[in-house]
Amino acid sequence: MSAPPSSDESLATLDRELARGLDLVARASSVEDVEDAQTSLFGRKAPFAVVERALGSLPEDERRRVGQRTNEVRARLKAAITERRQALESERETAVLELDRIDVTLPGRRLRAGSLHPLTIVQQEIVEIFTRMGYRVVEGPEVEDEWHNFDALNIQPDHPARTMMDTTYLSVPGHPELLLRAHTSPMQIRTMQAEPPPVYVVVPGRVFRNEAITAKNMPVFHQVEGLAVDKGIRFSDLKGTVESFLRELLGADLRVRMTPSFFPFVEPGAQFDVSCFVCGGSGCKTCAFVGWIETMGAGMVHPRVLENVGYNPERYTGFAFGMGYDRLAMIRFGIPDIRILWESDVRFLEQFEGVG
Ligand code: YSA
């Protein structure tokens, strides 16, 4: 171990350390540099510490002189360190703020809004037209029972639609009568059971059938049921209502055709077709080469159906219709294949931005 420095040596060391320290601190370009300078000046092995430790071995009057100088040098270095650290910290803060600066005068980034699905657009349009005519919107369950789906609608037990081939039955223990509704017509029954006439309702919803997929058929599709029961409703009211609805939805120059059809829950029954939007009526793949696209079944509510729900068929008459609006969406937007509606292809969907 070397001998402790003399007072002159200590004073010289203090001067050197003061100069070295002030220089180190002045050249520090980061807070980390300032920390390093502090360690180098005041660390346990630094010359400054050696001087401090040697103070005790100096005679009293020299100790006071060297001690005083030690305090002065320490104070000046510490002050320089604090000042430099504060300056560097505030520089760093300014730089961060500068990086994060938000220029409120810049034009905003446009948020891309999605679009409504074409089926939703058409459903809303259908509902809007009928509510303007005075109809109310109701919705019903997708899981139905055989009575509402078939029996109450006068569909006999031997009707082919009641087989497993056409209807999806559910296997719920103890409930062999449960099925996925094959049409929205059961809501005619539920509505009339729930309220007395007059009734004017439309019922949008999803329906399910065991069917092969083709350009215009899906096993899951959508219908809007309509029901009007009142005193004095006639077949001509049905024709006028449906024709003006179709023209409003699809365009005034559309060709509409009403032909006889059979549904056990109407008498007489009809079907409304519109001219094929792809071929204009000459026949193509979309219309299965018939030139027309079937849009809905309809008719005058069968007296037996009115009796089944406790309405008096001598006093009240009514009409009903059930339209497939996947097909109406195809016609409305010129979509040649129903499957496109289910593919969720963004390039297809983004064409509906701003529609509806
Ligand atoms: C008939 C008379 C009434 O008084 C009330 C309603 C009805 C309609 C009846 N409930 C029904 O479902 N008839 S329907 O089987 O011919 O279907 C009605 C419409 O749904 C069709 O005109 C067609 O537009 C559409 N549709 C039928 N099967 C389809 C389909 N759409 C897509 N895929 C399928 N698999």
Side-chain angles (χ1 to χ4, degrees), residues 19-42:
R20 181 174 81 89
L22 292 176
D23 181 54
L24 265 183
V25 171
R27 279 191 292 114
S29 60
S30 66
V31 174
E32 290 70 33
D33 286 352
V34 177
E35 309 281 324
D36 290 347
Q38 172 151 349
T39 314
S40 151
L41 291 167
F42 298 115

Side-chain angles (χ1 to χ4, degrees), residues 159-289:
H159 193 285
R162 295 183 74 137
T163 65
M164 299 288 281
M165 293 293 288
D166 283 317
T167 300
T168 308
Y169 284 83
L170 300 174
S171 61
V172 179
H175 291 282
E177 77 286 5
L178 292 183
L179 44 83
L180 293 179
R181 66 177 176 192
H183 51 175
T184 41
S185 300
M187 273 308 287
Q188 291 188 29
I189 305 301
R190 289 188 182 277
T191 308
M192 289 191 282
Q193 279 184 314
E195 56 196 81
V199 163
Y200 291 86
V201 291
V202 280
V203 190
R206 207 155 46 146
V207 301
F208 308 84
R209 288 183 197 176
N210 190 2
E211 265 196 48
I213 295 175
T214 68
K216 54 186 177 82
N217 286 307
M218 287 298 284
V220 180
F221 60 100
H222 303 81
Q223 290 189 335
V224 172
E225 192 78 9
L227 174 69
V229 181
D230 208 336
K231 283 183 185 148
I233 290 201
R234 295 171 307 175
F235 196 59
S236 52
D237 296 319
L238 166 65
K239 186 168 184 288
T241 303
V242 171
E243 282 185 1
S244 59
F245 155 74
L246 284 173
R247 293 221 164 83
E248 183 152 1
L249 182 77
L250 302 173
D253 47 354
L254 183 87
R255 281 188 294 146
V256 180
R257 171 176 92 165
M258 185 174 84
T259 55
S261 188
F262 173 75
F263 300 96
F265 38 101
V266 287
E267 182 54 40
Q271 164 181 323
F272 286 88
D273 305 335
V274 296
S275 46
C276 178
F277 64 97
V278 176
C279 62
S282 58
C284 68
K285 219 167 68 192
T286 301
C287 61
F289 301 96

